[in-house]
Amino acid sequence: MFNGYVATIDKGTGRPLRTCLVTLRTSRDIFTQLELSKVDPLACLKVLNASVSKSPAELAPVRPVLEFNMVDPRFIEETDVLSGLDPRPNLMDLTPSEFESLITNLFQKMGLETRLTQASRDGGVDCVAYDPRPIFGGKVVIQAKRYKHTVGVSAVRDLFGTVQNEGASKGILVTTSGYGKASFEFADGKPLELLSGSNLMYLLKEHAGVEARIVMPEDWKDPQPDVQD
């Protein structure tokens, strides 16, 4: 991450002024591939998708990219489940921890910075993701449920409470099944997104090239009873 500031004096007030004129976020791999001694500065900023002031001479500011605290005692090392999947994997064959890692891997493929949380001490959070985009970005809490039956509205209410407790900008609930009318009505107008099994399979194909299946075993029982609305 890089935020370029200029320190000057505000001519209107005479007070010190610190203005951000350029901001960008990139990975270490991309940055180390640059030959900085040979690049054109403006062309390089464009390649890195930087936000640059439209009028630097007038100190027109840009909003700095978000910087997140990536240290949390709940975070654990995630497993790369995506790369080890069969060509046509059945998501119901994964263990609970593998499914949570899969969701974490997927959102990472979608451009978010993700962290997997401990299974028994997560406080209702399976994955924490960070969207670094200015204005639209922020902290995202994600819950994953391998369910056969419709996910009840109580799970959606719990997610909303977690979003508030975590100070997150958004909450995402991902399931292998679906949601009822009450869940969508509760989520309406709130920073919540409900992803069904069909949504999940589409995202896996679109962002990871995985054509997943959801085939329920005959003896499948949902991990916990849920109120289905």
Side-chain angles (χ1 to χ4, degrees):
M1 182 185 69
F2 172 78
N3 293 317
Y5 288 87
V6 170
T8 184
I9 299 296
D10 188 323
K11 294 182 179 180
T13 64
R15 298 179 60 84
L17 181 67
R18 189 167 179 262
T19 304
C20 183
L21 298 182
V22 58
T23 182
L24 65 90
R25 191 182 190 96
T26 190
S27 67
R28 181 184 298 272
D29 290 340
I30 293 176
F31 185 78
T32 54
Q33 291 176 7
L34 299 175
E35 295 189 36
L36 295 178
S37 62
K38 300 179 181 179
V39 301
D40 174 78
L42 292 179
C44 184
L45 289 173
K46 185 176 181 180
V47 168
L48 295 175
N49 294 317
S51 294
V52 182
S53 170
K54 293 183 178 180
S55 183
E58 297 179 3
L59 300 179
V62 295
R63 184 167 181 172
V65 294
L66 299 173
E67 184 173 9
F68 302 106
N69 180 9
M70 305 299 284
V71 179
D72 190 310
R74 297 173 299 174
F75 294 164
I76 60 174
E77 185 175 354
E78 64 190 70
T79 303
D80 184 4
V81 174
L82 271 176
S83 62
L85 289 176
D86 296 331
R88 287 275 291 156
N90 179 13
L91 300 184
M92 304 310 294
D93 290 338
L94 300 176
T95 66
S97 60
E98 287 174 339
F99 184 67
E100 292 173 4
S101 290
L102 173 71
I103 300 303
T104 304
N105 298 161
L106 173 60
F107 279 97
Q108 194 169 50
K109 286 281 188 181
M110 294 170 64
L112 278 67
E113 296 185 26
T114 60
R115 295 292 185 273
L116 188 65
T117 63
Q118 298 182 51
S120 59
R121 298 173 56 192
D122 57 11
V125 180
D126 293 322
C127 169
V128 176
Y130 300 94
D131 186 341
R133 295 177 301 167
I135 303 177
F136 301 104
K139 181 180 180 180
V140 182
V141 292
I142 302 169
Q143 293 180 354
K145 293 184 179 293
R146 286 190 314 153
Y147 273 27
K148 175 180 181 179
H149 299 290
T150 301
V151 176
V153 67
S154 60
V156 185
R157 292 195 188 103
D158 290 344
L159 175 62
F160 184 55
T162 301
V163 168
Q164 294 177 312
N165 291 336
E166 292 280 334
S169 61
K170 186 175 185 178
I172 301 176
L173 188 57
V174 186
T175 185
T176 49
S177 57
Y179 307 91
K181 180 181 178 182
S183 293
F184 287 109
E185 288 178 346
F186 179 83
D188 186 40
K190 299 180 178 67
L192 302 176
E193 189 163 351
L194 308 181
L195 299 180
S196 65
S198 58
N199 297 144
L200 175 57
M201 289 189 291
Y202 171 80
L203 292 174
L204 283 168
K205 183 177 181 180
E206 182 74 12
H207 297 279
V210 174
E211 296 191 10
R213 299 173 298 139
I214 298 176
V215 181
M216 297 289 172
E218 293 184 2
D219 59 348
W220 178 269
K221 292 183 179 180
D222 288 339
Q224 62 185 39
D226 205 353
V227 179
Q228 298 178 22
D229 294 319

